[in-house]
Amino acid sequence: MHNRVGRALLALSAVLALLMAGPATTATADTIQTGNTVCSMYVNSTGFGAYCTSGSAYLGDGTPPPTWRERLDGKPFVPCRNFPIPDGIHLPQAPEGKKWVLRVTITDYDLNTYNGGNKAHLERAYMPVNAEEEAQCPEPDYMDQFWTRFKSTYPTPALVVKPTFTPRVNIPAFFSLTKESSEQYKTTGELSGYYDPQHNLTMRGMVVEMKVDPGDGTAPFTCLMGTTPADDPDGYDETQDPFHQMNTCKHKYAKSSASQPDGMYTVKLTIIWEVSYWIGRDAGGWHSIGKATVTAVQRLPVQEVQAIGG
């Protein structure tokens, strides 16, 4: 997969500052179950992740996989676990003497199965708890095998400007993001808990839209983003001049930035991430969980030069 964003990471004269949109909301997918694992996933303006239950991966040794009861070896099953509130979630102040936790609970499980049974699923709740309420979900070491948690934050945006990083007056400037800053993968890998190599959960965050306010008083414009071939990662054809490009993510500055603070325009970016998941060789491909918005700013110098060179 190659996002419609450049691979070449340019040295920027001003660092992109990531500004979180808030208050953030969380979009979640239905709990999924494949092979030996049940997972609940989330996406918000800070990043995405999943909470899974089943235990260590079972790759097979010729015998049936052990049931949950067998793995407990006579110890009590604790179906809930408290986690920190995911980054990007904003909650009111907790009542006095309490704190907020994300409580994930395994429900409708069957201990006599290797994966909790077909009805097993996860339920999530943001709860204010005191010490006694928090202790309702103890975390004995032997229960660690049933829980897997992973998360990923969005990378800091890295803006690519073509044909030169410093745009010229009256010459179209084309905007994109580097692949490294517009596509993020996360997988549980060997700890996925799925019972064979064909079952592993992969999550992907990808920029699908970028709104650009060029900072010169003109109206913002929106750029749709997606996948492109490996030989055209940023959508800019180096064999053609700036006036003969198919890429529509462009802006033409009418005057230089000399009169602006520090001699640079302040470009505001509104970036839409879409997070999806994929399981093994799932014929259905990627399944969308939801979208999240991230904003950023970029200081950009524009020169009063009529030529492209430089």
Side-chain angles (χ1 to χ4, degrees), residues 247-265:
N247 189 348
T248 59
C249 190
K250 62 183 178 180
H251 180 69
K252 187 185 294 185
Y253 286 93
K255 61 181 181 179
S256 76
S257 58
S259 62
Q260 301 296 310
D262 299 322
M264 293 182 285
Y265 286 115

Side-chain angles (χ1 to χ4, degrees), residues 24-28 40-51 82-91 100-104 124-127 149-153:
T25 57
T26 297
T28 60
S40 176
M41 298 169 289
Y42 70 89
V43 52
N44 60 40
S45 64
T46 300
F48 57 90
Y51 300 88
N82 297 319
F83 296 95
I85 300 296
D87 293 337
I89 301 299
H90 300 276
L91 298 169
W100 287 102
V101 298
L102 168 61
R103 178 164 294 182
V104 182
R124 297 151 38 96
Y126 301 123
M127 300 177 56
R149 179 191 179 203
F150 61 99
K151 65 178 181 178
S152 182
T153 57

Side-chain angles (χ1 to χ4, degrees), residues 58-106:
Y58 179 75
L59 301 180
D61 59 3
T63 61
T67 65
W68 281 15
R69 190 180 302 279
E70 290 171 333
R71 284 157 53 186
L72 287 169
D73 194 26
K75 303 179 183 68
F77 184 73
V78 182
C80 61
R81 179 158 288 199
N82 297 319
F83 296 95
I85 300 296
D87 293 337
I89 301 299
H90 300 276
L91 298 169
Q93 184 174 350
E96 185 176 357
K98 295 190 175 186
K99 67 176 183 180
W100 287 102
V101 298
L102 168 61
R103 178 164 294 182
V104 182
T105 305
I106 310 170

Side-chain angles (χ1 to χ4, degrees), residues 284-297:
W286 290 99
H287 302 272
S288 177
I289 302 171
K291 296 180 179 180
T293 300
V294 176
T295 60
V297 296

Side-chain angles (χ1 to χ4, degrees), residues 155-210:
T156 301
L159 189 66
V160 176
V161 183
K162 294 290 187 78
T164 60
F165 174 68
T166 302
R168 276 37 173 177
V169 170
N170 294 324
I171 301 293
F174 294 83
F175 297 88
S176 62
L177 297 173
T178 65
K179 175 179 173 61
E180 291 80 3
S181 70
S182 64
E183 193 169 17
Q184 186 81 336
Y185 281 87
K186 188 67 180 180
T187 177
T188 53
E190 297 253 335
L191 297 178
S192 66
Y194 291 164
Y195 67 90
D196 66 44
Q198 307 305 319
H199 297 91
N200 55 19
L201 170 67
T202 299
M203 298 183 71
R204 177 186 71 181
M206 185 172 70
V207 176
V208 295
E209 182 179 307
M210 180 172 68

Side-chain angles (χ1 to χ4, degrees), residues 210-223 250-251 268 270:
M210 180 172 68
K211 185 176 182 180
V212 181
D213 182 343
D216 60 355
T218 60
F221 56 94
T222 299
C223 304
K250 62 183 178 180
H251 180 69
K268 298 178 181 179
T270 302

